[in-house]
Amino acid sequence: MKIKEFEKYWIEKLENEFKSFPEVFLDNIKTKNLKMPGKDLIKGSELFGVYEISDINGETFFQTENIYKLKYILYGNRNKPERIKIPINEIDFEFVTKAYEKYLDNLLKNIETDYKKHFVNSSKLHSTISKIFSKLNLRRY
């Protein structure tokens, strides 16, 4: 197997099996809808404990003091939806975000384990994982 074939295999596998965020991670959590801008969003600047979420042009869309809420919104924006469900209770942002990050970390470990089986002496693990995540528009904040 070549690295390109490995990347293709994992991209197709994750396209079919990836758990949708936030929906799959919101069991028994009361939510409300948050209107989204339908654009790529990035973590903006942080000033005095307030985090900004902006687009690539620097236009700010959200501000929060809760780092888990910031991550939650960025993760939820993966496919640029018009709306995402967000927890009503601020504490739930941490719980849901950590559960999703644990899921992503397990995916990374699984990809790494599989990679090392196929490519024992290769040093391209990190670039391969980056390509897979980039193709699927996945990030780990």
Side-chain angles (χ1 to χ4, degrees), residues 5-132:
E5 293 167 327
F6 179 86
E7 290 169 357
K8 182 180 178 193
Y9 166 79
W10 274 98
I11 290 166
E12 290 174 358
K13 178 178 175 59
L14 293 176
E15 282 176 337
N16 293 324
E17 298 175 6
F18 193 76
K19 292 183 180 180
S20 179
F21 184 86
E23 296 79 15
V24 172
F25 298 87
L26 288 171
D27 286 342
N28 301 318
I29 293 177
K30 293 185 181 188
T31 63
K32 62 183 177 182
N33 284 321
L34 175 67
K35 187 175 182 322
M36 299 294 287
K39 298 179 177 186
D40 283 323
L41 297 176
I42 58 172
K43 179 182 174 190
S45 61
E46 182 260 328
L47 185 62
F48 302 114
V50 176
Y51 302 95
E52 290 184 345
I53 300 173
S54 58
D55 65 12
I56 57 174
N57 297 320
E59 182 180 351
T60 300
F61 288 93
F62 304 103
Q63 292 183 324
T64 181
E65 294 177 0
N66 184 336
I67 187 69
Y68 294 104
K69 187 173 185 178
L70 169 119
K71 290 179 175 186
Y72 183 103
I73 292 170
L74 292 174
Y75 289 141
N77 193 57
R78 175 177 168 239
N79 294 320
K80 296 177 246 175
E82 292 181 16
R83 300 186 186 291
I84 60 170
K85 290 183 178 190
I86 64 169
I88 292 172
N89 188 337
E90 286 285 317
I91 292 173
D92 290 330
F93 282 104
E94 180 176 358
F95 172 77
V96 175
T97 301
K98 283 184 174 182
Y100 180 67
E101 289 177 338
K102 183 177 180 181
Y103 171 68
L104 288 178
D105 291 344
N106 285 331
L107 285 179
L108 290 169
K109 287 177 190 172
N110 291 340
I111 294 169
E112 180 177 356
T113 300
D114 192 33
Y115 182 91
K116 288 179 178 178
K117 282 187 220 173
H118 290 91
F119 310 103
V120 178
N121 295 321
S122 178
S123 62
K124 297 183 179 184
L125 170 65
H126 297 293
S127 66
T128 300
I129 289 175
S130 291
K131 286 178 187 173
I132 293 167

